[in-house]
Structures are given as structure tokens and as C-alpha cells.
């Protein structure tokens, strides 16, 4: 798998209008008035854009295509739990297209630092520990 090149949210037509909303949602997550929603219009827009930048491959194990073998999910690289990184819950840079296998593995290894962040400049898939 290649390193993911993540466009700025402002450069994605379907999400550009949500930049401020995502920021205010992050503030709500810190305050405890907002939670991550894994359904709905915004979730689907995020998932579509994340799927596009990872070319439908799981960002962590390179699984492809996800729908055939696994449910598609959005993974928070930095855990969104209130005690960890609630300020990154809706952070575009913190969201990755992910298969449910990697997601449950990630949930057992929070924070998700058993692998490299797939959009880091020096990312190399061969160095991922999940393969
Ligand atoms: Zn995976």
C-alpha cells in the first residue's frame, strides 16, 4: 500500500462546508455535549472521502475491497475516548478508512500505535506491525 495523501478538508468539495462544524463538534466532545456518530449524512460524507483517498483499501492492513470481506468503518488513529483525545474525535487528520478487523484490533491496542500513521510523510507499509 502506498502512503495516503490526504487533501486538506477545504479542498474536498463535499466536506469543505463542514470544516467549522467539525471544529465545533470537537469542542463539544471535549465538553461532553457531543459524541462521535457512526451513521448519518456527515459520517457518510467522511467515509466516502476517506475511502477515496485510500482508494478503497483499508488504511492499516491494505484489505481490498472492504465490502467483500469486511465491514467498512472509520478508525480514529488517536482514540476518541473522553480520557484520551476527545479533541480529535472529528479531526479530519485523525480519521482513516478501516476494515472492522483492524478496528477491533485497534480497540484492543489503544492508543493505536502498533502501526504507523498511514499519512505520515515517512510512512512505509512494510513497517506496519499489523501485517
Ligand atoms: Zn484492515
Amino acid at each position: 500500500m502506498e502512503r495516503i495523501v490526504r487533501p486538506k478538508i477545504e479542498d474536498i468539495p463535499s466536506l469543505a462546508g463542514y470544516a467549522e462544524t467539525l471544529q465545533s463538534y470537537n469542542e463539544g466532545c471535549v465538553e461532553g455535549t457531543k459524541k462521535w456518530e457512526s451513521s448519518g449524512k456527515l459520517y457518510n460524507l467522511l467515509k466516502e472521502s476517506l475511502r477515496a483517498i485510500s482508494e478503497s483499501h483499508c488504511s492499516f492492513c491494505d484489505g481490498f475491497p472492504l465490502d467483500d470481506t469486511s465491514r467498512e468503518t472509520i478508525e480514529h488513529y488517536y482514540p476518541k475516548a473522553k480520557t484520551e483525545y476527545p479533541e480529535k474525535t472529528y479531526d479530519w487528520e485523525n480519521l482513516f478508512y478501516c476494515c472492522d478487523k483492524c478496528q477491533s484490533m485497534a480497540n484492543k491496542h489503544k492508543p493505536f500505535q502498533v502501526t504507523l500513521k498511514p499519512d505520515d510523510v515517512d510512512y512505509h507499509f512494510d513497517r506496519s506491525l499489523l501485517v
Side-chain angles (χ1 to χ4, degrees), residues 70-95:
S70 171
R71 202 167 55 88
E72 35 170 36
T73 69
I74 295 178
E75 173 60 17
H76 292 77
Y77 188 83
Y78 293 101
K80 61 187 181 303
K82 182 89 176 123
T83 51
E84 300 194 71
Y85 302 92
E87 72 280 7
K88 292 182 184 289
T89 303
Y90 284 89
D91 186 350
W92 168 240
E93 308 276 329
N94 191 36
L95 304 176

mmCIF file of all heavy atoms in Angstrom, residues 70-95:
data_model
loop_
_atom_site.group_PDB
_atom_site.id
_atom_site.type_symbol
_atom_site.label_atom_id
_atom_site.label_comp_id
_atom_site.label_asym_id
_atom_site.label_seq_id
_atom_site.Cartn_x
_atom_site.Cartn_y
_atom_site.Cartn_z
ATOM 1 N N SER A 70 -15.229 -7.571 4.670
ATOM 2 C CA SER A 70 -15.246 -6.919 5.965
ATOM 3 C C SER A 70 -16.106 -5.671 5.899
ATOM 4 O O SER A 70 -16.214 -5.034 4.857
ATOM 5 C CB SER A 70 -13.807 -6.534 6.312
ATOM 6 O OG SER A 70 -13.808 -5.725 7.444
ATOM 7 N N ARG A 71 -16.656 -5.305 7.006
ATOM 8 C CA ARG A 71 -17.435 -4.082 7.082
ATOM 9 C C ARG A 71 -16.475 -2.886 7.014
ATOM 10 O O ARG A 71 -15.364 -2.935 7.541
ATOM 11 C CB ARG A 71 -18.161 -4.066 8.426
ATOM 12 C CG ARG A 71 -19.378 -3.213 8.513
ATOM 13 C CD ARG A 71 -20.147 -3.556 9.784
ATOM 14 N NE ARG A 71 -19.303 -3.455 10.972
ATOM 15 C CZ ARG A 71 -19.124 -2.340 11.676
ATOM 16 N NH1 ARG A 71 -19.709 -1.219 11.298
ATOM 17 N NH2 ARG A 71 -18.364 -2.335 12.749
ATOM 18 N N GLU A 72 -16.901 -1.808 6.347
ATOM 19 C CA GLU A 72 -16.035 -0.622 6.316
ATOM 20 C C GLU A 72 -16.354 0.273 7.504
ATOM 21 O O GLU A 72 -17.518 0.454 7.856
ATOM 22 C CB GLU A 72 -16.143 0.144 4.988
ATOM 23 C CG GLU A 72 -17.505 0.159 4.361
ATOM 24 C CD GLU A 72 -17.607 1.124 3.197
ATOM 25 O OE1 GLU A 72 -16.657 1.287 2.437
ATOM 26 O OE2 GLU A 72 -18.689 1.723 3.073
ATOM 27 N N THR A 73 -15.327 0.808 8.104
ATOM 28 C CA THR A 73 -15.504 1.661 9.274
ATOM 29 C C THR A 73 -14.590 2.868 9.150
ATOM 30 O O THR A 73 -13.725 2.925 8.283
ATOM 31 C CB THR A 73 -15.143 0.921 10.580
ATOM 32 O OG1 THR A 73 -13.737 0.690 10.605
ATOM 33 C CG2 THR A 73 -15.884 -0.398 10.714
ATOM 34 N N ILE A 74 -14.790 3.813 10.044
ATOM 35 C CA ILE A 74 -13.849 4.918 10.188
ATOM 36 C C ILE A 74 -13.110 4.707 11.505
ATOM 37 O O ILE A 74 -13.727 4.559 12.557
ATOM 38 C CB ILE A 74 -14.569 6.284 10.205
ATOM 39 C CG1 ILE A 74 -15.228 6.544 8.844
ATOM 40 C CG2 ILE A 74 -13.590 7.399 10.563
ATOM 41 C CD1 ILE A 74 -16.017 7.854 8.786
ATOM 42 N N GLU A 75 -11.791 4.656 11.413
ATOM 43 C CA GLU A 75 -10.973 4.467 12.606
ATOM 44 C C GLU A 75 -10.388 5.806 13.052
ATOM 45 O O GLU A 75 -9.948 6.604 12.228
ATOM 46 C CB GLU A 75 -9.845 3.470 12.309
ATOM 47 C CG GLU A 75 -8.827 3.297 13.412
ATOM 48 C CD GLU A 75 -9.413 2.788 14.728
ATOM 49 O OE1 GLU A 75 -10.541 2.266 14.731
ATOM 50 O OE2 GLU A 75 -8.747 2.953 15.751
ATOM 51 N N HIS A 76 -10.409 6.020 14.370
ATOM 52 C CA HIS A 76 -9.740 7.189 14.945
ATOM 53 C C HIS A 76 -8.324 6.780 15.316
ATOM 54 O O HIS A 76 -8.141 5.927 16.182
ATOM 55 C CB HIS A 76 -10.478 7.664 16.201
ATOM 56 C CG HIS A 76 -11.831 8.225 15.912
ATOM 57 N ND1 HIS A 76 -12.925 7.441 15.628
ATOM 58 C CD2 HIS A 76 -12.239 9.518 15.842
ATOM 59 C CE1 HIS A 76 -13.961 8.234 15.393
ATOM 60 N NE2 HIS A 76 -13.585 9.485 15.516
ATOM 61 N N TYR A 77 -7.352 7.360 14.660
ATOM 62 C CA TYR A 77 -5.969 6.989 14.956
ATOM 63 C C TYR A 77 -5.645 7.292 16.418
ATOM 64 O O TYR A 77 -5.140 6.441 17.144
ATOM 65 C CB TYR A 77 -5.014 7.742 14.030
ATOM 66 C CG TYR A 77 -3.604 7.259 14.170
ATOM 67 C CD1 TYR A 77 -3.167 6.122 13.488
ATOM 68 C CD2 TYR A 77 -2.700 7.913 14.997
ATOM 69 C CE1 TYR A 77 -1.884 5.651 13.629
ATOM 70 C CE2 TYR A 77 -1.406 7.448 15.142
ATOM 71 C CZ TYR A 77 -1.002 6.323 14.457
ATOM 72 O OH TYR A 77 0.276 5.857 14.611
ATOM 73 N N TYR A 78 -5.955 8.503 16.845
ATOM 74 C CA TYR A 78 -5.858 8.835 18.254
ATOM 75 C C TYR A 78 -7.231 8.576 18.870
ATOM 76 O O TYR A 78 -8.228 9.131 18.397
ATOM 77 C CB TYR A 78 -5.448 10.295 18.451
ATOM 78 C CG TYR A 78 -4.041 10.563 17.995
ATOM 79 C CD1 TYR A 78 -3.795 11.158 16.760
ATOM 80 C CD2 TYR A 78 -2.959 10.197 18.791
ATOM 81 C CE1 TYR A 78 -2.493 11.384 16.328
ATOM 82 C CE2 TYR A 78 -1.658 10.418 18.361
ATOM 83 C CZ TYR A 78 -1.434 11.009 17.132
ATOM 84 O OH TYR A 78 -0.156 11.228 16.706
ATOM 85 N N PRO A 79 -7.293 7.725 19.878
ATOM 86 C CA PRO A 79 -8.592 7.314 20.428
ATOM 87 C C PRO A 79 -9.455 8.502 20.850
ATOM 88 O O PRO A 79 -8.953 9.454 21.457
ATOM 89 C CB PRO A 79 -8.213 6.465 21.640
ATOM 90 C CG PRO A 79 -6.812 6.012 21.378
ATOM 91 C CD PRO A 79 -6.165 7.109 20.581
ATOM 92 N N LYS A 80 -10.736 8.390 20.539
ATOM 93 C CA LYS A 80 -11.656 9.498 20.798
ATOM 94 C C LYS A 80 -12.203 9.496 22.218
ATOM 95 O O LYS A 80 -12.981 10.371 22.585
ATOM 96 C CB LYS A 80 -12.807 9.476 19.796
ATOM 97 C CG LYS A 80 -13.650 8.208 19.870
ATOM 98 C CD LYS A 80 -14.658 8.167 18.739
ATOM 99 C CE LYS A 80 -15.542 6.932 18.779
ATOM 100 N NZ LYS A 80 -14.799 5.646 18.764
ATOM 101 N N ALA A 81 -11.814 8.490 23.016
ATOM 102 C CA ALA A 81 -12.345 8.389 24.389
ATOM 103 C C ALA A 81 -12.124 9.691 25.153
ATOM 104 O O ALA A 81 -11.133 10.389 24.956
ATOM 105 C CB ALA A 81 -11.676 7.233 25.120
ATOM 106 N N LYS A 82 -13.074 9.975 26.018
ATOM 107 C CA LYS A 82 -13.065 11.214 26.787
ATOM 108 C C LYS A 82 -11.750 11.406 27.547
ATOM 109 O O LYS A 82 -11.265 12.520 27.720
ATOM 110 C CB LYS A 82 -14.257 11.175 27.766
ATOM 111 C CG LYS A 82 -14.435 12.388 28.621
ATOM 112 C CD LYS A 82 -15.299 13.434 27.946
ATOM 113 C CE LYS A 82 -15.554 14.612 28.885
ATOM 114 N NZ LYS A 82 -15.138 15.881 28.344
ATOM 115 N N THR A 83 -11.151 10.279 27.986
ATOM 116 C CA THR A 83 -9.917 10.368 28.773
ATOM 117 C C THR A 83 -8.677 10.426 27.882
ATOM 118 O O THR A 83 -7.569 10.530 28.391
ATOM 119 C CB THR A 83 -9.788 9.122 29.679
ATOM 120 O OG1 THR A 83 -9.960 7.953 28.857
ATOM 121 C CG2 THR A 83 -10.850 9.133 30.775
ATOM 122 N N GLU A 84 -8.882 10.325 26.562
ATOM 123 C CA GLU A 84 -7.716 10.315 25.686
ATOM 124 C C GLU A 84 -7.673 11.545 24.781
ATOM 125 O O GLU A 84 -7.191 12.581 25.192
ATOM 126 C CB GLU A 84 -7.665 9.008 24.915
ATOM 127 C CG GLU A 84 -7.581 7.840 25.926
ATOM 128 C CD GLU A 84 -7.194 6.539 25.297
ATOM 129 O OE1 GLU A 84 -6.026 6.423 24.896
ATOM 130 O OE2 GLU A 84 -8.048 5.654 25.200
ATOM 131 N N TYR A 85 -8.236 11.449 23.572
ATOM 132 C CA TYR A 85 -8.130 12.575 22.643
ATOM 133 C C TYR A 85 -9.506 13.026 22.142
ATOM 134 O O TYR A 85 -9.758 12.998 20.937
ATOM 135 C CB TYR A 85 -7.261 12.195 21.443
ATOM 136 C CG TYR A 85 -5.862 11.765 21.803
ATOM 137 C CD1 TYR A 85 -5.570 10.422 22.028
ATOM 138 C CD2 TYR A 85 -4.835 12.708 21.910
ATOM 139 C CE1 TYR A 85 -4.282 10.018 22.365
ATOM 140 C CE2 TYR A 85 -3.550 12.316 22.239
ATOM 141 C CZ TYR A 85 -3.279 10.965 22.467
ATOM 142 O OH TYR A 85 -2.008 10.573 22.790
ATOM 143 N N PRO A 86 -10.405 13.427 23.044
ATOM 144 C CA PRO A 86 -11.746 13.842 22.576
ATOM 145 C C PRO A 86 -11.666 15.019 21.598
ATOM 146 O O PRO A 86 -12.520 15.151 20.712
ATOM 147 C CB PRO A 86 -12.481 14.226 23.867
ATOM 148 C CG PRO A 86 -11.408 14.521 24.854
ATOM 149 C CD PRO A 86 -10.252 13.611 24.496
ATOM 150 N N GLU A 87 -10.619 15.821 21.716
ATOM 151 C CA GLU A 87 -10.466 16.980 20.823
ATOM 152 C C GLU A 87 -10.154 16.563 19.390
ATOM 153 O O GLU A 87 -10.171 17.382 18.483
ATOM 154 C CB GLU A 87 -9.398 17.940 21.365
ATOM 155 C CG GLU A 87 -7.953 17.469 21.260
ATOM 156 C CD GLU A 87 -7.525 16.462 22.354
ATOM 157 O OE1 GLU A 87 -8.383 16.005 23.131
ATOM 158 O OE2 GLU A 87 -6.314 16.143 22.397
ATOM 159 N N LYS A 88 -9.859 15.260 19.201
ATOM 160 C CA LYS A 88 -9.563 14.772 17.849
ATOM 161 C C LYS A 88 -10.700 13.913 17.293
ATOM 162 O O LYS A 88 -10.552 13.283 16.253
ATOM 163 C CB LYS A 88 -8.263 13.953 17.852
ATOM 164 C CG LYS A 88 -7.012 14.785 18.123
ATOM 165 C CD LYS A 88 -5.780 13.897 18.067
ATOM 166 C CE LYS A 88 -4.504 14.637 18.421
ATOM 167 N NZ LYS A 88 -4.088 15.590 17.377
ATOM 168 N N THR A 89 -11.822 13.868 17.972
ATOM 169 C CA THR A 89 -12.917 12.988 17.561
ATOM 170 C C THR A 89 -13.359 13.271 16.127
ATOM 171 O O THR A 89 -13.592 12.353 15.345
ATOM 172 C CB THR A 89 -14.116 13.134 18.514
ATOM 173 O OG1 THR A 89 -13.682 12.843 19.841
ATOM 174 C CG2 THR A 89 -15.250 12.175 18.136
ATOM 175 N N TYR A 90 -13.493 14.549 15.813
ATOM 176 C CA TYR A 90 -13.933 14.938 14.461
ATOM 177 C C TYR A 90 -12.813 15.611 13.684
ATOM 178 O O TYR A 90 -13.056 16.378 12.772
ATOM 179 C CB TYR A 90 -15.162 15.852 14.547
ATOM 180 C CG TYR A 90 -16.435 15.104 14.878
ATOM 181 C CD1 TYR A 90 -16.833 14.880 16.189
ATOM 182 C CD2 TYR A 90 -17.241 14.595 13.852
ATOM 183 C CE1 TYR A 90 -17.998 14.180 16.487
ATOM 184 C CE2 TYR A 90 -18.409 13.894 14.135
ATOM 185 C CZ TYR A 90 -18.780 13.693 15.447
ATOM 186 O OH TYR A 90 -19.934 12.995 15.730
ATOM 187 N N ASP A 91 -11.579 15.329 14.081
ATOM 188 C CA ASP A 91 -10.420 15.909 13.399
ATOM 189 C C ASP A 91 -10.173 15.141 12.102
ATOM 190 O O ASP A 91 -9.862 13.949 12.121
ATOM 191 C CB ASP A 91 -9.208 15.806 14.338
ATOM 192 C CG ASP A 91 -7.984 16.503 13.785
ATOM 193 O OD1 ASP A 91 -8.002 16.901 12.596
ATOM 194 O OD2 ASP A 91 -7.011 16.637 14.544
ATOM 195 N N TRP A 92 -10.306 15.831 10.996
ATOM 196 C CA TRP A 92 -10.156 15.192 9.677
ATOM 197 C C TRP A 92 -8.857 14.402 9.581
ATOM 198 O O TRP A 92 -8.811 13.307 9.043
ATOM 199 C CB TRP A 92 -10.239 16.294 8.608
ATOM 200 C CG TRP A 92 -9.829 15.900 7.229
ATOM 201 C CD1 TRP A 92 -8.820 16.445 6.484
ATOM 202 C CD2 TRP A 92 -10.425 14.897 6.388
ATOM 203 N NE1 TRP A 92 -8.751 15.826 5.261
ATOM 204 C CE2 TRP A 92 -9.721 14.883 5.177
ATOM 205 C CE3 TRP A 92 -11.477 14.010 6.561
ATOM 206 C CZ2 TRP A 92 -10.027 14.013 4.130
ATOM 207 C CZ3 TRP A 92 -11.790 13.129 5.517
ATOM 208 C CH2 TRP A 92 -11.076 13.142 4.328
ATOM 209 N N GLU A 93 -7.792 14.956 10.153
ATOM 210 C CA GLU A 93 -6.476 14.310 10.074
ATOM 211 C C GLU A 93 -6.414 13.030 10.922
ATOM 212 O O GLU A 93 -5.489 12.238 10.774
ATOM 213 C CB GLU A 93 -5.387 15.260 10.593
ATOM 214 C CG GLU A 93 -5.390 16.632 9.958
ATOM 215 C CD GLU A 93 -4.639 16.646 8.636
ATOM 216 O OE1 GLU A 93 -3.695 15.867 8.503
ATOM 217 O OE2 GLU A 93 -5.011 17.444 7.753
ATOM 218 N N ASN A 94 -7.374 12.850 11.798
ATOM 219 C CA ASN A 94 -7.348 11.703 12.707
ATOM 220 C C ASN A 94 -8.210 10.539 12.213
ATOM 221 O O ASN A 94 -8.275 9.507 12.855
ATOM 222 C CB ASN A 94 -7.828 12.148 14.102
ATOM 223 C CG ASN A 94 -7.586 11.089 15.160
ATOM 224 O OD1 ASN A 94 -6.582 10.376 15.113
ATOM 225 N ND2 ASN A 94 -8.512 10.972 16.098
ATOM 226 N N LEU A 95 -8.858 10.704 11.087
ATOM 227 C CA LEU A 95 -9.819 9.701 10.615
ATOM 228 C C LEU A 95 -9.245 8.898 9.454
ATOM 229 O O LEU A 95 -8.655 9.467 8.535
ATOM 230 C CB LEU A 95 -11.118 10.394 10.187
ATOM 231 C CG LEU A 95 -11.772 11.275 11.265
ATOM 232 C CD1 LEU A 95 -12.997 11.974 10.684
ATOM 233 C CD2 LEU A 95 -12.138 10.464 12.489
#
